[in-house]
Amino acid sequence: MALSLTLFEEAPLSLTFGGTLSPIQVAYQTYGTLNENKSNAVLLCHALTGDAEPYLPPPNKGWWQDFIGPGLAFDTDQYFFICSNVLGGCKGTTGPSSINPQTGKPYGSQFPVITVQDIVNVQKALLDKLNIPHLHAVVGGSFGGMQATQWGISYPHFVDNIINLCSSLTLSAEAIGFNHVMRQAIINDPCFNQGDYYEGIAPDNGLKIARMLGMLTYRTDIQLAKAFGRETKQHGQMWGDHFQVESYLTYQGEKFLDRFDANSYLRLLRALDLYDPAQGFENESSALTRIKANYTLVAVTSDQLFKQIDVHKSRQRLIDAGIKVNYHEFNSTFGHDSFLVDYDFFEPMIKQALKK
């Protein structure tokens, strides 16, 4: 079970787009042992709908279960790993479903717009509370990769290594378009009630549809064709789950309802859209030149969310800012989700990057 700390009790967190939050509860988990001089701490940043527990004791399974342990990619014999649930989430850290101390009711529609910069500032406050003075590395995949990059900008002397898996510096127009459609599915659900649905019926149909669309951006056509092809269900519904691939998407959408909140999904999708390293600086170059850490960037050629061409452009923008980028790319039938499951591909790259 995740640990928990309360932050920003005395002074509120000032948010990028205005407003404040106080207090902020943060769920986190640690793995391994912090060494005597506190030089082996590594922050793990989760993807959009992850949580603070990338590893869980069997028979349970965390989202990076097979990557964490003695001798593995994230070697608990060498490093001390910290992972926290992001601000705006719904897995133990303050988010829209949390109680607003001003009203005694869930924040709902009153929860402010948040950014990756806000999320990183909360992570820094957590590390300060844990008396961790420096990070050997920050590692993140997808949305977590954006957080890792922002760490190098916001706190350039605090981190030695940045490991960005399957993420570009900014989200493409196409990806923003997908996120827009997902949000519209949620806010047009009759039960959404402007986000104040906690005392009534949740907008489950909208959230389920949003997740189904999202799954199509995480997978590849090759993977779906191999798994389902054009196979139909024995007792399918002509306007419902007629094909096996439709049944799979419906299952994924319904399963998502058990672990996520629609308002959190809206806020985190928008934080993904809004991420801009130049926020708060004169231009992107002045922001990126602040990065002092060794920077490792890994792309998957079959990624349909953070496409190869967008990661290539991000690499060049980093190089133009004077950053030496250790770049790797490979193909995987798992597409964007490969950083969660393709251990054999990612293990040597992660170990190499952590040795810097």
Side-chain angles (χ1 to χ4, degrees):
M1 185 176 179
L3 305 169
S4 184
L5 280 174
T6 304
L7 307 174
F8 299 99
E9 290 182 281
E10 296 180 4
L13 171 70
S14 295
L15 300 168
T16 303
F17 286 135
T20 60
L21 279 173
S22 176
I24 296 175
Q25 197 77 19
V26 179
Y28 72 99
Q29 189 56 274
T30 65
Y31 307 91
T33 302
L34 188 64
N35 61 17
E36 188 174 348
N37 61 2
K38 299 184 178 182
S39 63
N40 68 335
V42 176
L43 180 68
L44 303 180
C45 300
H46 68 71
L48 192 73
T49 62
D51 55 36
E53 297 184 284
Y55 176 89
L56 290 168
N60 299 303
K61 194 168 185 179
W63 48 271
W64 249 346
Q65 187 80 10
D66 300 327
F67 285 64
I68 299 175
L72 297 180
F74 298 119
D75 188 352
T76 50
D77 285 341
Q78 293 191 56
Y79 304 105
F80 176 68
F81 298 97
I82 311 107
C83 183
S84 64
N85 185 221
V86 297
L87 176 69
C90 54
K91 306 294 284 185
T93 294
T94 297
S97 59
S98 302
I99 298 299
N100 181 346
Q102 304 299 319
T103 65
K105 296 181 178 181
Y107 279 99
S109 63
Q110 300 304 307
F111 195 81
V113 173
I114 57 168
T115 65
V116 169
Q117 286 85 347
D118 299 326
I119 288 169
V120 167
N121 288 338
V122 172
Q123 291 167 346
K124 176 61 163 58
L126 171 65
L127 296 179
D128 290 344
K129 188 84 168 182
L130 295 174
N131 295 315
I132 294 175
H134 195 78
L135 286 173
H136 175 69
V138 181
V139 188
S142 187
F143 187 47
M146 289 179 167
Q147 296 165 50
T149 296
Q150 188 58 41
W151 261 97
I153 297 169
S154 294
Y155 304 101
H157 301 291
F158 198 88
V159 57
D160 293 332
N161 298 282
I162 294 169
I163 306 175
N164 177 355
L165 311 176
C166 302
S167 179
S168 55
L169 292 178
T170 49
L171 203 61
S172 70
E174 180 185 49
I176 292 172
F178 281 126
N179 288 350
H180 174 68
V181 175
M182 286 190 274
R183 277 190 297 272
Q184 294 306 305
I186 294 170
I187 67 177
N188 284 290
D189 185 303
C191 297
F192 181 62
N193 193 33
Q194 305 300 312
D196 297 315
Y197 50 78
Y198 295 107
E199 294 180 356
I201 301 172
D204 286 349
N205 285 332
L207 182 58
K208 180 171 69 174
I209 293 168
R211 182 61 173 180
M212 287 192 283
L213 176 58
M215 291 302 297
L216 290 175
T217 70
Y218 305 150
R219 302 289 189 259
T220 65
D221 54 348
I222 295 172
Q223 182 186 12
L224 293 174
K226 182 178 180 181
F228 307 108
R230 288 181 51 81
E231 291 295 320
T232 58
K233 294 188 64 172
Q234 186 174 1
H235 301 291
Q237 303 173 23
M238 186 52 64
W239 309 121
D241 296 346
H242 179 70
F243 290 95
Q244 291 289 358
V245 67
E246 294 173 326
S247 180
Y248 163 77
L249 291 172
T250 297
Y251 168 75
Q252 291 294 331
E254 291 176 346
K255 186 171 71 168
F256 191 57
L257 301 179
D258 294 332
R259 70 178 186 86
F260 223 76
D261 173 60
N263 276 324
S264 282
Y265 203 49
L266 291 175
R267 295 308 192 284
L268 298 182
L269 283 173
R270 188 51 101 189
L272 186 64
D273 297 341
L274 290 171
Y275 182 58
D276 182 357
Q279 179 70 42
F281 297 91
E282 183 178 350
N283 52 47
E284 184 178 86
S285 179
S286 62
L288 295 180
T289 53
R290 289 172 55 84
I291 297 175
K292 310 302 179 188
N294 300 308
Y295 197 108
T296 297
L297 179 61
V298 183
V300 174
T301 59
S302 57
D303 194 327
Q304 298 193 98
L305 184 58
F306 290 94
K307 292 187 175 180
Q308 183 183 22
I309 187 173
D310 296 316
V311 182
H312 279 179
K313 290 178 181 177
S314 295
R315 176 196 183 192
Q316 190 58 51
R317 287 151 65 187
L318 288 162
I319 291 171
D320 290 345
I323 298 164
K324 184 179 179 182
V325 181
N326 304 300
Y327 182 73
H328 308 269
E329 74 176 31
F330 62 91
N331 189 41
S332 170
T333 57
F334 290 103
H336 183 63
D337 269 359
S338 61
F339 75 92
L340 296 171
V341 293
D342 258 345
Y343 180 84
D344 290 340
F345 284 110
F346 281 92
E347 184 255 3
M349 299 174 206
I350 292 171
K351 282 189 171 182
Q352 178 186 348
L354 285 175
K355 285 180 180 178
K356 299 290 183 182

